[in-house]
Amino acid sequence: MADSGAMSGAALPDAPRRAVNGRVLKDSVVRMSPGRLVSNPVMFIVELCFFLVAAMAVYPRGFVPVATPSETPFYVEVAVTLLVTVWFSTLADALAEQQAESTARSLRRLETSVLSKKVVTKEWSRETVPTPSKDLRKGDLVLLENGDVVPLDAEVLEGIAMVDESLMTGESTPVRKAPGDALIGGARVVSDTLTARVTANPGETYIDQMIRMVESSKRPKTPNEQAVTIVLIGLTAIFTIIILSLLGLSITLGLGGDLSVLIALYVCLLPTTIGALLPAIGLSGVSRLYGRRIVAKSGRAIETAGDTDVILLDKTGTITVGNRQAVEFIPFEGHTESEVGEAAFLSSWYDDTPEGRSVIRLAHEKGFLPRELNSLAPSEVYEFSASTRTSGIKLGRGFGFILPKGDKSGKDRGRLRRKAAMSSEEEEAASEYEILKGAPDSIRKLSGNVPPGFDKTVESISAAGETPMAIAKNGEPIGIIRLKDVLKPGIEEKVQAVKMMGIRPVMITGDQPLTAKSIASEVGISEYVPMAKPEDKFRIVQAEQAQTHVAAMIGDGTNDAPALALADVGLAMNSGTEAAKEAANMVDLESNPAKIIEVVLLGKQLLMTRGAVTAFSIANDVAKYFAIMPVIFAAAYPQLSAFNILGLGLHSAVLSALIFNAVIIPLLIPLSMRGVKFRPASTMSLFLRNTMIYGVGGVVVPFVGIKAIDVLISVI
Amino acid sequence: MDKDNKAGSKGRGWVRPVVGVALLSMLVCGLAFPLLVTGVAQALFPYQANGEVATLNGQAVGSYLIDNSFTLPYFFHARPANESASGVDPDITLQEAYSQIPGIANATGIPSSQLTGLVQKNEEGVFWIFGTPYVDVLKLNLALIAMDPAYYQSRVPALSGS
Amino acid sequence: MITLLQFISVAAILGVTIVIAWLLAPYVTGVFTGKSSPLDRLFGPLERAVYRILGVDPQRGMGWKEYFFAGLFVNVAQMALAAVILTFQGSLPLNPMGFKGLSWDLTFNTVISFATNTNLQHYAGEATLSYLSQMTAIQFLQFTSAATGICMGVAFVRGFVAGSKDLGNFYVDFTRSITRILIPFCLVAAVILVFLGVPQTISGYRAVTTVEGAAQSILVGPVASLVAIMQLGTNGGGYYGANSAYPFMNPNPQSNILEIALMLLLPTVLVFVFGQMLGKKKETIPILVGAYALFGIDLAIAFIPAAPQGAGIETRIGGFYSVFWTVVTTAVTTGSVNTTLSAMHPLVILSAFMGMLIQSTPGGKGVGLMYMVMYVVITLFVVGLMSGRTPEYLGMKITGRDVKLVMIAFLVHPLIILIPTVVAYAGGFAQAVGVGTNSVGFTQVLYEFTSAAANNGSDFLGTAANTPFFNVATAVVIFLGRYVPIGVLLALSGSMLGRKRNPEAGLKTDGLLFSAVLVGSILILVVLTFLPFLAIGPILAYLQGHVNFFG
């Protein structure tokens, strides 16, 4: 399961690794040019301050009475620190961009360049022309035979086949594809033959879209980023008024304040930390999402995900694995349970799907080990075919069963075969026969007539929301395997986490109410919509939004498209139809519906990180005031040294505060790019925790940090 | 909403309510209300409403709430005008009053013990857990005059003039 | 430091005031939600007559722009009327003392000051204003500015009420706040004040011969009606130059305590009205707790030094109640004083600054509430993100535009306090009125503009600041300090109308946790903005060992 473990422990795994390399360093320096920096008003002002202090260092006489020529070395120190502050911020940008690009590069590897069989109609016949995928266009038809790679996103037109999408989705079991189903570029056909129509031009696939968004340097600011920027501009305006007033007072009252000290105070007060890291935080949030192979069509969608109050969860695929598990063998009249169990066992020997494995496990648990395993050999194996919806085996005399090729559970089967040893007399008695297992209606069709209990048993199992599978021996139905839904591993914890964060999970299923209820209550969901058709999702989203809820949902079918478009957060499965992907604001390349929960967590993490750094940045100002204030008018008002609670030296106080202000930026780069760590918890406890760490911590940390830097400076 | 605003701010309907409400409020709040309170006050509490005027021998000699500017040695004195916030503080603390007793006793011949008793009798300012004690200088001096009318007969115009 | 008894008396006064405010709040809420009341029989016909005269449809709601500009224009018209009275008082009746008309700049300052609930006074009323001026200029504007503040506060709240379609009708709110709140409340207060010794007459100053035979003028007038509205309406402008230190405005400890309670009453009532109008009474918690916690911090700072004695203190009031009053009058931006501010310890003045800079502890009636909600919004925005959701208030998402409006409202204060302060020194205007360039002088100038910006009105300079520069500069500061934040915050409220709200999720604001965070964030925001100036003002004065501001 691709998402397993995502929610355990500290919730979210790390983003791709990053490191400072030459390219990043060069990029960070290029970004320091005023023309490029102007888009970040806070850092631009810091740079202007650098030029001013640099001018003071070069020609202090021009700045009297707010400068003293003998202080030139100090001006140089301040100027250098200011320049380093600017550089740290551009370094953060460069690193975030690099992280995003490396994500994009890893995604680009998914893009395939293959020679595919373009179908061309010539007069009376169709021909295939070998064509590189880059020359294919939307609307072209391609023939995909066993072993072929799907060149671009496409849609099945003819044929039914099994397709391996493990490269994209991490799910090893091949998926059945029928006309109308979507194919992901890069997937591989592993059975049968398909004709498909290309749905995206080269460079327009979802992977391409994602890469472009990551690489684009002109990402529009999200609404929340804009709002934070407004706060930063507001604070900058306030501090500008403060510093200009202090400068005016210093001159008119003859307080002898030094311009460089005022500038140092100004820069320290400016929200440089969040100003420097804001772009990186946003970009990293997007990268983290991409790192999980989810394409968001806008940064806004990620933030909205954090605001979700209600998640519509499709039962199948989200709460339960698509496969079901055998729980009972039900014999028809005249047959025994062990007979059914052994037949089921034999029919599943070569069936390596989770369902097949579950049949073998159940038979083994119940002790139904067929002796034929060593005396008879399969003369023919009927693999599951999408058109007959049955699979089976024909047994004949031979030297016992061989282990299936590429079998995941080969070891187990070898052990089982040794267990099922047979006496020689029994071997004599054994005769040839054929076992088929499959959907009840398929078996009915094959057998022609069915025993009296057949319909009743099938119906009662279906009515409970479970799946019946019929077993026929030599064409005669002998019993039913009852298969039950299996919960996804860890789904209970995920649902619990969702609820803890104040989000209501609502389960949507086509099942009967009783079944729906039993599954819902098993995972702790109290709201469920049974017997829902895909179209109903639209109505549900509408109803939730009418009550002003922010709704997140997943979908894959064309029927889901209207609801996906309506939902605040619509996550489409890449395996879904084109219409669904167009309508949604996010697409999961791995087509794992359970990831909707992860999307919500990532949205929260992004907002939290931005809030934490903002609060930390503002809270830091308190300590900086205490450091620099005694120095500003130290000559005129030595009494103000009462504010010097840290016991700093005159010059080193200013430098310590400035250096702290600068180094906190690179120190917070990892936090900004990784995101704030959090465990799912209620809104209030997340708030309390983060307020204590980043708000209260933001007040305390700089006191410690500035003092430590002061001690270091005095040692040097 | 915007449409309404435009209609409201540009239409002719603006002047009337604005000027009307300004004039009406002036008449009601600036004239009717103070006059109403004056009427009620004069009817219910005429003494307070007219400034708690103190009389001596039938003549108005000042207000108990306003410093009466005593300067002569045989009276208790308030603080100099510029030492209080109002400049007309009519009250002094008990300590200040006690500190003036020897001088007054010396000038008038009234025994200190009687003067101390007089100050204590005129103490005010504390109720429940609130306030600090003080004495009203005019009240105290009028009581002082009443204590020895013969002595003050010739020294106080209101008494001698009648 | 204060004694246990003093602590208990402060707690008792505050506690009783809050309880009375709580009891009165449902009535006030009813006035603005149109709840039918037995008083309709009395006021209903009167109000309907007013609407007919004005030609307004009382049912028609207004958007924020119309509401705000209606209020602004009405205020300007009232300023004009009052200006006419003040300028021509010499030729108008009810002037038994024969005072002349005021200069243009003093008139300009005075009408703006009073029409905005500021009541900064660069004159001494007893030596400047006729009875007519005291009533039809001063008391008139004290009523209308209080009513305007209440209206703006109530309209502001309406924007946040679920289901509101508009902010209400200014003329209706204005009329009802005068007829149903201010006049009845003030009548009761005025009569009690008269009973306690505050004069109320229009028969002229009384000439008497003192016991020692000197001539004395007893400066009586229609004082009680003015004191009632000046305290209840958090106006603060005094009948006399000495304000509430003058015995006729505040004759004894009883009147002193009553007036403290009157100042706190309406701002506190409106805090309760907020929750009641919202239909979420618990939303009053952060506003009330935040306001009174900050007020408590102010008090704690002010009570650190020993209470002043002697010079500048009225004997009947005493140092302790002078300090208490000073904190209250700045916390609710009333600005009345019962002492000489110069007699106050620098830490008391620091505390007064905090009240005026925060403006919502609980602040002026109506406006203090608006400021507190402004702080709630900015706090929610900055810290609320840390809960992992787009910050919401009352279920409504805080947008970039909201933040922009709040930042503008927040930016006004430093702009109009700091720049004029610098100009006052740079232009030599402060030095010209005898203010020093040391910590004491700087405190006084900074206080002048802080008080003007906060629409407080208390000041050190008083009549000394009756110069064209200070009259015009403070008038401009007062005007901007009043109308820009109100306009901007009404725009914020107007944008909340009909906004999608999600009542269940998000950060809960109706508890003590958020209240605590709110208090911390307000302190940090205000400290960050003004600390350097407080540091070279009252704090430096304290560090230099000053115990008051004389000299």
Side-chain angles (χ1 to χ4, degrees):
Chain A
M1 237 10 73
D3 60 321
S4 65
M7 298 270 305
S8 59
L12 297 168
D14 276 1
R17 293 180 62 80
R18 65 214 149 250
V20 180
N21 57 35
R23 210 171 63 79
V24 169
L25 285 178
K26 190 175 157 224
D27 185 30
S28 67
V29 173
V30 170
R31 282 163 187 268
M32 287 171 76
S33 80
R36 285 195 70 174
L37 207 59
V38 77
S39 63
N40 185 340
V42 176
M43 296 321 296
F44 182 68
I45 288 177
V46 176
E47 193 164 53
L48 290 184
C49 288
F50 156 73
F51 286 124
L52 199 56
V53 179
M56 287 176 73
V58 173
Y59 186 61
R61 260 169 246 290
F63 291 86
V64 174
V66 291
T68 317
S70 61
E71 293 283 3
T72 304
F74 176 67
Y75 300 153
V76 172
E77 288 163 354
V78 171
V80 168
T81 316
L82 292 179
L83 195 62
V84 169
T85 310
V86 175
W87 177 62
F88 281 157
S89 94
T90 58
L91 184 66
D93 282 357
L95 273 171
E97 193 102 354
Q98 186 215 24
Q99 177 196 26
E101 276 168 13
S102 79
T103 308
R105 265 198 306 281
S106 72
L107 291 169
R108 189 166 276 145
R109 259 181 254 130
L110 299 177
E111 280 194 307
T112 41
S113 184
V114 291
L115 214 57
S116 49
K117 300 161 187 156
K118 182 176 171 185
V119 178
V120 188
T121 312
K122 272 192 181 169
E123 294 184 7
W124 307 107
S125 65
R126 276 175 166 186
E127 302 185 354
T128 59
V129 181
T131 311
S133 52
K134 67 177 169 53
D135 293 338
L136 287 170
R137 289 294 172 269
K138 195 170 171 177
D140 284 351
L141 301 186
V142 286
L143 181 69
L144 298 164
E145 290 169 316
N146 197 340
D148 285 351
V149 170
V150 181
L152 293 162
D153 292 357
E155 190 186 48
V156 179
L157 279 187
E158 299 164 8
I160 296 174
M162 303 305 283
V163 176
D164 176 5
E165 294 179 337
S166 57
L167 203 62
M168 270 69 60
T169 66
E171 174 61 62
S172 61
T173 312
V175 186
R176 173 179 180 268
K177 295 285 183 184
D181 288 347
L183 298 169
I184 313 170
R188 185 179 293 271
V189 177
V190 291
S191 84
D192 304 288
T193 300
L194 293 172
T195 310
R197 181 168 52 213
V198 174
T199 53
N201 287 327
E204 286 176 13
T205 62
Y206 282 95
I207 294 170
D208 291 312
Q209 279 187 20
M210 175 193 316
I211 292 169
R212 254 203 308 281
M213 190 165 149
V214 169
E215 286 179 342
S216 159
S217 57
K218 286 186 190 122
R219 277 171 301 277
K221 281 198 171 85
T222 65
N224 183 263
E225 260 178 325
Q226 281 168 0
V228 172
T229 306
I230 290 167
V231 172
L232 301 188
I233 291 172
L235 289 174
T236 303
I238 289 171
F239 294 132
T240 308
I241 297 169
I242 290 175
I243 295 302
L244 289 179
S245 302
L246 281 175
L247 186 65
L249 285 173
S250 175
I251 296 168
T252 57
L253 300 183
L255 302 180
D258 189 297
L259 182 61
S260 71
V261 176
L262 281 173
I263 285 175
L265 177 65
Y266 182 43
V267 171
C268 281
L269 291 179
L270 286 179
T272 45
T273 314
I274 178 65
L277 296 173
L278 188 64
I281 291 169
L283 187 52
S284 307
V286 179
S287 297
R288 283 199 296 280
L289 196 68
Y290 293 159
R292 286 166 184 72
R293 295 182 180 179
I294 297 171
V295 190
K297 293 189 184 166
S298 70
R300 181 184 194 146
I302 307 173
E303 286 170 8
T304 309
D307 295 341
T308 302
D309 321 293
V310 54
I311 300 190
L312 309 186
L313 299 171
D314 288 6
K315 187 204 77 178
T316 306
T318 311
I319 293 165
T320 61
V321 293
N323 309 301
R324 302 169 185 228
Q325 199 161 24
V327 288
E328 194 184 357
F329 301 116
I330 305 167
F332 295 134
E333 227 178 283
H335 300 279
T336 62
E337 191 188 352
S338 68
E339 195 185 344
V340 177
E342 287 176 13
F345 186 109
L346 288 172
S347 71
S348 301
W349 184 255
Y350 288 102
D351 178 1
D352 198 33
T353 64
E355 286 170 18
R357 271 177 269 155
S358 81
V359 170
I360 291 188
R361 192 175 327 122
L362 180 71
H364 176 218
E365 275 167 17
K366 291 188 175 265
F368 303 149
L369 287 184
R371 308 284 167 95
E372 292 88 337
L373 218 48
N374 285 321
S375 59
L376 300 180
S379 58
E380 208 168 330
V381 174
Y382 315 118
E383 283 195 48
F384 181 81
S385 102
S387 47
T388 61
R389 298 173 67 209
T390 57
S391 62
I393 193 163
K394 190 171 185 184
L395 302 174
R397 290 190 184 280
F399 302 99
F401 276 44
I402 50 157
L403 295 174
K405 253 189 256 170
D407 182 5
K408 273 186 178 175
S409 49
K411 242 188 193 166
D412 287 344
R413 290 183 196 207
R415 191 165 47 80
L416 290 178
R417 194 177 63 182
R418 285 191 292 280
K419 253 185 171 178
M422 218 179 208
S423 66
S424 52
E425 305 92 76
E426 281 168 333
E427 278 180 39
E428 288 298 312
S431 57
E432 291 185 7
Y433 56 95
E434 181 195 65
I435 303 170
L436 277 182
K437 114 181 154 211
D441 50 342
S442 305
I443 297 290
R444 173 203 286 274
K445 218 180 275 172
L446 291 173
S447 312
N449 63 330
V450 292
F454 189 94
D455 287 331
K456 204 174 144 231
T457 312
V458 166
E459 272 165 29
S460 74
I461 291 174
S462 304
E466 292 160 352
T467 307
M469 194 178 270
I471 294 281
K473 199 170 178 178
N474 288 332
E476 183 205 357
I478 58 166
I480 298 278
I481 309 172
R482 185 159 72 88
L483 293 150
K484 207 186 157 195
D485 272 311
V486 186
L487 297 183
K488 278 204 157 181
I491 186 68
E492 289 105 319
E493 291 81 45
K494 285 187 191 181
V495 168
Q496 200 52 40
V498 161
K499 292 202 304 193
M500 211 187 278
M501 290 185 294
I503 301 169
R504 283 166 42 229
V506 176
M507 187 182 89
I508 312 245
T509 171
D511 290 346
Q512 304 290 324
L514 276 178
T515 324
K517 188 183 177 184
S518 81
I519 291 168
S521 65
E522 207 169 330
V523 292
I525 293 178
S526 55
E527 288 176 74
Y528 57 91
V529 181
M531 296 171 46
K533 294 185 285 296
E535 305 84 271
D536 291 340
K537 282 188 190 168
F538 182 80
R539 188 182 47 74
I540 298 165
V541 171
Q542 216 173 21
E544 290 295 346
Q545 288 182 337
Q547 292 170 48
T548 69
H549 291 291
V550 176
M553 65 165 283
I554 47 147
D556 53 7
T558 304
N559 287 339
D560 290 334
L564 281 170
L566 184 66
D568 302 278
V569 180
L571 177 65
M573 301 297 103
N574 201 17
S575 58
T577 61
E578 204 58 27
K581 287 191 275 188
E582 284 299 330
N585 46 19
M586 293 187 198
V587 177
D588 178 20
L589 294 181
E590 299 179 343
S591 299
N592 175 0
K595 269 162 75 180
I596 186 75
I597 295 170
E598 219 174 309
V599 167
V600 171
L601 287 181
L602 280 167
K604 286 194 177 299
Q605 191 188 33
L606 172 64
L607 292 174
M608 242 182 253
T609 307
R610 193 177 291 146
V613 179
T614 306
F616 186 83
S617 183
I618 296 174
N620 272 348
D621 283 357
V622 176
K624 294 170 189 168
Y625 254 136
F626 276 87
I628 299 184
M629 205 144 62
V631 184
I632 309 172
F633 301 129
Y637 298 136
Q639 297 92 341
L640 287 176
S641 63
F643 278 97
N644 189 2
I645 53 176
L646 293 174
L648 309 173
L650 270 186
H651 279 168
S652 80
V654 177
L655 286 177
S656 305
L658 260 187
I659 291 171
F660 176 84
N661 189 58
V663 299
I664 199 71
I665 296 171
L667 289 180
L668 288 180
I669 288 178
L671 175 84
S672 306
M673 295 180 66
R674 194 190 59 224
V676 166
K677 274 201 173 136
F678 79 105
R679 286 168 192 284
S682 75
T683 302
M684 280 315 270
S685 55
L686 285 175
F687 166 69
L688 178 62
R689 193 184 119 90
N690 288 324
T691 301
M692 291 313 285
I693 296 177
Y694 300 101
V696 178
V699 175
V700 176
V701 165
F703 278 104
V704 179
I706 290 172
K707 180 65 193 174
I709 294 169
D710 175 67
V711 170
L712 271 177
I713 288 178
S714 63
V715 166
I716 294 164
Chain B
M1 203 64 62
D2 258 343
K3 213 170 136 195
D4 280 6
N5 279 338
K6 276 176 196 150
S9 57
K10 286 180 185 162
R12 282 167 296 149
W14 257 85
V15 178
R16 183 170 155 199
V18 166
V19 175
V21 86
L23 278 169
L24 271 180
S25 55
M26 184 182 200
L27 291 178
V28 171
C29 307
L31 217 54
F33 176 76
L35 294 179
L36 171 72
V37 175
T38 307
V40 173
Q42 291 291 340
L44 293 179
F45 312 111
Y47 168 67
Q48 292 99 316
N50 292 304
E52 304 204 355
V53 171
T55 55
L56 183 59
N57 196 23
Q59 290 183 22
V61 291
S63 162
Y64 286 116
L65 296 177
I66 302 295
D67 171 31
N68 210 249
S69 329
F70 290 97
T71 53
L72 300 170
Y74 38 81
F75 285 122
F76 286 97
H77 298 176
R79 290 183 294 165
N82 59 9
E83 273 205 8
S84 66
S86 63
V88 294
D89 190 350
D91 309 308
I92 52 174
T93 60
L94 296 182
Q95 290 85 335
E96 274 174 320
Y98 291 140
S99 71
Q100 294 177 28
I101 285 177
I104 295 168
N106 196 27
T108 61
I110 300 171
S112 293
S113 60
Q114 281 192 27
L115 290 172
T116 305
L118 191 76
V119 169
Q120 284 167 347
K121 219 176 115 189
N122 281 280
E123 179 194 323
E124 57 186 309
V126 177
F127 65 108
W128 302 327
I129 57 171
F130 305 107
T132 44
Y134 59 86
V135 285
D136 183 303
V137 178
L138 179 56
K139 229 178 252 178
L140 192 62
N141 283 331
L142 291 182
L144 187 62
I145 293 168
M147 190 180 259
D148 192 352
Y151 174 80
Y152 285 102
Q153 179 78 40
S154 58
R155 291 174 170 85
V156 174
L159 294 176
S160 56
S162 61
Chain C
M1 295 312 271
I2 59 171
T3 64
L4 181 63
L5 205 61
Q6 285 169 332
F7 179 82
I8 293 171
S9 55
V10 166
I13 292 167
L14 295 180
V16 169
T17 308
I18 291 172
V19 169
I20 293 174
W22 178 66
L23 292 172
L24 285 174
Y27 169 73
V28 174
T29 303
V31 168
F32 294 108
T33 51
K35 207 179 125 203
S36 65
S37 124
L39 293 170
D40 287 346
R41 203 178 280 249
L42 177 64
F43 294 120
L46 202 73
E47 288 159 1
R48 279 193 292 277
V50 170
Y51 304 146
R52 263 199 306 280
I53 293 169
L54 301 182
V56 299
D57 173 7
Q59 305 300 324
R60 201 178 72 87
M62 296 177 174
W64 76 266
K65 274 186 209 157
E66 189 182 1
Y67 197 103
F68 171 70
F69 283 105
L72 178 63
F73 291 163
V74 165
N75 280 187
V76 171
Q78 287 159 339
M79 290 174 197
L81 285 177
V84 169
I85 301 282
L86 292 176
T87 307
F88 299 106
Q89 68 170 5
S91 341
L92 292 169
L94 277 174
N95 186 8
M97 297 75 76
F99 293 130
K100 286 187 309 218
L102 274 57
S103 68
W104 72 268
D105 54 310
L106 183 58
T107 302
F108 180 71
N109 184 277
T110 304
V111 296
I112 290 182
S113 172
F114 279 81
T116 54
N117 209 257
T118 309
N119 297 206
L120 187 76
Q121 290 169 286
H122 290 162
Y123 65 89
E126 69 273 30
T128 315
L129 298 184
S130 71
Y131 283 160
L132 189 76
S133 292
Q134 290 279 19
M135 300 197 302
T136 58
I138 302 303
Q139 295 189 37
F140 155 53
L141 292 179
Q142 289 185 328
F143 267 101
T144 59
S145 65
T148 304
I150 294 174
C151 290
M152 294 299 170
V154 166
F156 178 74
V157 177
R158 285 201 188 102
F160 291 87
V161 175
S164 279
K165 293 197 166 46
D166 51 64
L167 298 188
N169 184 304
F170 174 78
Y171 298 103
V172 173
D173 289 341
F174 188 79
T175 305
R176 287 168 78 98
S177 55
I178 288 177
T179 55
R180 296 184 185 228
I181 298 171
L182 293 177
I183 286 188
F185 286 21
C186 284
L187 186 62
V188 173
V191 171
I192 298 174
L193 285 165
V194 172
F195 168 74
L196 289 174
V198 179
Q200 180 73 21
T201 174
I202 50 168
S203 52
Y205 293 171
R206 182 155 184 190
V208 296
T209 305
T210 62
V211 174
E212 292 188 354
Q216 189 183 34
S217 193
I218 308 294
L219 310 178
V220 289
V223 183
S225 55
L226 185 146
V227 173
I229 184 61
M230 75 174 263
Q231 308 291 24
L232 252 175
T234 67
N235 286 284
Y239 193 98
Y240 306 94
N243 206 291
S244 306
Y246 201 86
F248 278 157
M249 286 181 67
N250 187 9
N252 44 46
Q254 287 86 341
S255 66
N256 193 57
I257 289 169
L258 173 67
E259 291 177 29
I260 286 176
L262 287 178
M263 284 192 246
L264 286 165
L265 189 66
L266 282 181
T268 310
V269 165
L270 284 172
V271 169
F272 287 111
V273 167
F274 176 67
Q276 291 172 357
M277 281 182 71
L278 288 180
K280 296 174 177 179
K281 291 187 183 171
K282 282 178 78 185
E283 291 295 345
T284 281
I285 292 174
I287 314 279
L288 184 74
V289 172
Y292 275 90
L294 288 164
F295 180 59
I297 293 170
D298 288 355
L299 275 177
I301 294 171
F303 284 136
I304 290 172
Q309 285 182 318
I313 303 297
E314 292 291 294
T315 308
R316 67 191 177 287
I317 293 163
F320 173 74
Y321 280 97
S322 297
V323 171
F324 184 25
W325 178 298
T326 303
V327 177
V328 172
T329 200
T330 45
V332 295
T333 69
T334 303
S336 57
V337 289
N338 67 350
T339 180
T340 309
L341 281 185
S342 295
M344 292 291 115
H345 190 276
L347 290 182
V348 178
I349 296 302
L350 177 67
S351 159
F353 267 111
M354 303 248 310
M356 295 189 291
L357 294 174
I358 296 173
Q359 298 198 82
S360 52
T361 61
K365 82 261 124 263
V367 184
L369 177 64
M370 294 170 86
Y371 276 111
M372 192 51 113
V373 172
M374 173 191 91
Y375 288 123
V376 168
V377 170
I378 188 75
T379 301
L380 273 175
F381 184 78
V382 174
V383 301
L385 267 181
M386 288 193 288
S387 71
R389 294 176 60 90
T390 305
E392 295 156 304
Y393 183 45
L394 303 172
M396 293 176 284
K397 286 209 175 6
I398 299 173
T399 66
R401 183 172 177 272
D402 301 339
V403 173
K404 194 185 288 174
L405 292 172
V406 165
M407 288 315 292
I408 291 171
F410 192 74
L411 198 59
V412 170
H413 233 197
L415 205 61
I416 62 176
I417 292 173
L418 300 179
I419 290 176
T421 301
V422 174
V423 172
Y425 273 114
F429 304 111
Q431 296 90 327
V433 299
V435 174
T437 55
N438 59 357
S439 63
V440 168
F442 179 73
T443 302
Q444 293 172 345
V445 175
L446 184 69
Y447 195 102
E448 183 78 13
F449 288 107
T450 304
S451 173
N455 299 137
N456 177 280
S458 59
D459 72 341
F460 282 91
L461 305 180
T463 51
N466 183 14
T467 64
F469 170 77
F470 278 105
N471 281 337
V472 174
T474 53
V476 171
V477 168
I478 287 168
F479 194 90
L480 296 175
R482 173 76 164 179
Y483 294 107
V484 175
I486 286 183
V488 164
L489 292 175
L490 269 192
L492 172 73
S493 158
S495 74
M496 296 287 168
L497 286 173
R499 193 179 291 192
K500 190 176 151 185
R501 51 176 84 213
N502 182 345
E504 287 150 59
L507 203 57
K508 287 195 172 33
T509 48
D510 59 354
L512 289 178
L513 172 62
F514 181 72
S515 307
V517 173
L518 178 65
V519 168
S521 110
I522 291 174
L523 281 176
I524 286 184
L525 282 175
V526 171
V527 162
L528 285 188
T529 315
F530 293 103
L531 186 65
F533 305 94
L534 297 176
I536 60 172
I539 296 175
L540 180 62
Y542 168 67
L543 294 173
Q544 287 173 336
H546 291 277
V547 293
N548 57 45
F549 290 86
F550 293 122

